[in-house]
Amino acid sequence: MSRSVATLAVLAALALPGVAAAQNCEITVNSNDAMQYDVKEIVVDKSCPSYTVTLKHTGKLPVNAMGHNWVLTTASDYEATGRDGIAAGPANGYLKPNDKRIIAHTDMIGGGQETKVSFDPKLLKEGTDYTFFCSFPGHSSLMKGKLTLGG
Ligand code: CO
């Protein structure tokens, strides 16, 4: 009797995390005319079949003055990727075309606009630090955050 009760308790404990944790496979990141994201850290649930980032620009300034995008690289690749993006210029959305270091990125948007990107969490490794940032010249000093794989 007591043994089967204990067994049930163990089974319930094992089952609970999967039942209780609602899978969250998307996030909305707001950005503004003060060169800020409202999200500083993202943990991607590794059980998500796909992860979607929606980027909203709640400001009023146009894309050529206050453009924002959301670009994901490893933490170690982010600075060089940003430099090459600035060199690539506005015609390329400040991203080097076909840059293999870029895991995912949205379009560059201006005030009042919204864009999104989805990527496969299998592209990420557990224990690796990733950086998301805006590649518009001068923005990534403020507009960057940390992303990891978890769950
Ligand atoms: Co920006």
Side-chain angles (χ1 to χ4, degrees), residues 1 14 28 35 43 48 50 53 64 84 89 96 101 135:
M1 172 66 183
L14 287 172
T28 296
M35 225 190 286
V43 179
C48 289
S50 175
V53 175
N64 61 345
D84 290 349
K96 182 182 168 186
R101 296 167 297 188
S135 69

Side-chain angles (χ1 to χ4, degrees), residues 1-8:
M1 172 66 183
S2 67
R3 184 176 171 183
S4 66
V5 168
T7 303
L8 281 174

Side-chain angles (χ1 to χ4, degrees), residues 30-38 56-68 109-113 136 139 142-143:
N30 292 294
S31 59
N32 61 25
D33 283 343
M35 225 190 286
Q36 296 164 322
Y37 290 137
D38 70 345
K56 292 183 179 176
H57 191 323
T58 61
K60 291 188 163 38
L61 294 169
V63 65
N64 61 345
M66 187 54 69
H68 299 321
I109 58 173
Q113 295 182 306
F136 194 94
H139 285 201
L142 285 174
M143 300 188 76

